Amino acid sequence: MISAEVPCEDVRGCLSAGPGINLDPATGEISADLSEEAGNNLVVGPDGGLLVPTAGGAVLAGCGLTGDGSGSAPLAVATGTWPYACAPEVAGGVIVCGSDGVLRGEPRGQVNFAQLSETRAYNDLTVPNEITVVDTFTLNITNPDQCRPAAVFVEREVDVDFVLPAGAGAAYGHDTDQMYYMRNTGSSTMTDVHTQTTKLYQALTALAPGAGAVVQLPVSMDRGSGGATYNRVQVFIRAILISL
């Protein structure tokens, strides 16, 4: 049996670097050759071993995304700059992933409108002398927004035709709120005396999504004197539903 010790310097000349290998002829150190091509995520890990980070090289970032999923460039949402005085944690909206796998923002706000216009005739009925609801008009509304509650603003108009003999007087109102009074100070009958009045108010602060409600307009009369009568009531009820 013959053995001999060969110096490292004699062996180095026999080594050469192949694909994926780095060789330092001066020191004889052999290491992995990591490509510098774009998209390569192979790195030397903290433990000295070769490492491909989770998802590294498997993600192509498109519109709205940045990064490639590697440890040095994690995948992230491309965001803008918050331009408002309020904090986004307090007033910011919500983004969710739909069942179709698409990111969705909050539902858009809506403004909806409903109205009633109605005229009723009467056979010269006597105007009462104390506040009395003589007829009631109704508008049915529905919040068409299936996501948000709606604030409901209502505009109501009333027009009553009075017949006022000489010296007679009459008044009408919305609910029990007197809006109009007329007295005939002349010597002949005043026929179909009328004036249209309007009120605007917030009927509901939050009508639930898809829910319905009834908006009523009771028409009252009072201060009837001297044989005053009425023969017509015309109303408008207009509702604006705002969901934001």
Side-chain angles (χ1 to χ4, degrees):
M1 178 177 172
I2 301 174
S3 64
E5 183 175 341
V6 180
C8 291
E9 291 80 1
D10 294 343
V11 176
R12 288 172 191 168
C14 300
L15 301 177
S16 62
I21 298 174
N22 277 327
L23 170 64
D24 186 341
T27 64
E29 183 178 4
I30 300 173
S31 62
D33 182 12
L34 303 182
S35 173
E36 296 182 359
E37 292 291 326
N40 179 34
N41 292 289
L42 182 63
V43 297
V44 177
D47 58 357
L50 297 178
L51 171 68
V52 177
T54 301
V59 176
L60 297 177
C63 179
L65 295 175
T66 62
D68 56 18
S70 66
S72 59
L75 195 64
V77 177
T79 60
T81 301
W82 183 258
Y84 308 103
C86 57
E89 301 82 26
V90 175
V94 175
I95 296 177
V96 299
C97 183
S99 60
D100 56 0
V102 177
L103 289 178
R104 305 291 183 182
E106 292 185 300
R108 296 175 179 175
Q110 296 186 25
V111 177
N112 294 284
F113 178 81
Q115 74 169 353
L116 167 76
S117 173
E118 186 174 352
T119 301
R120 296 177 185 174
Y122 310 86
N123 189 24
D124 291 323
L125 301 178
T126 300
V127 178
N129 57 17
E130 294 183 353
I131 294 179
T132 304
V133 173
V134 298
D135 213 338
T136 299
F137 298 80
T138 299
L139 170 65
N140 295 311
I141 61 174
T142 300
N143 178 10
D145 193 329
Q146 297 300 309
C147 298
R148 301 177 185 273
V152 181
F153 296 87
V154 173
E155 185 260 354
R156 307 190 305 187
E157 301 177 20
V158 177
D159 193 354
V160 177
D161 281 18
F162 290 124
V163 176
L164 302 176
Y172 78 79
H174 300 204
D175 293 310
T176 57
D177 184 10
Q178 186 185 106
M179 301 289 291
Y180 171 79
Y181 173 75
M182 173 62 76
R183 181 172 180 271
N184 183 0
T185 60
S187 58
S188 60
T189 297
M190 299 173 66
T191 303
D192 293 331
V193 179
H194 66 96
T195 294
Q196 189 167 327
T197 58
T198 300
K199 291 185 70 175
L200 175 66
Y201 67 102
Q202 185 172 3
L204 296 167
T205 56
L207 180 60
V214 176
V215 178
Q216 292 188 322
L217 173 47
V219 177
S220 61
M221 296 187 191
D222 67 308
R223 300 180 68 181
S225 64
T229 62
Y230 65 96
N231 57 54
R232 183 185 71 96
V233 174
Q234 181 185 50
V235 303
F236 292 90
I237 307 176
R238 299 181 176 96
I240 298 177
L241 296 83
I242 302 175
S243 52
L244 299 175

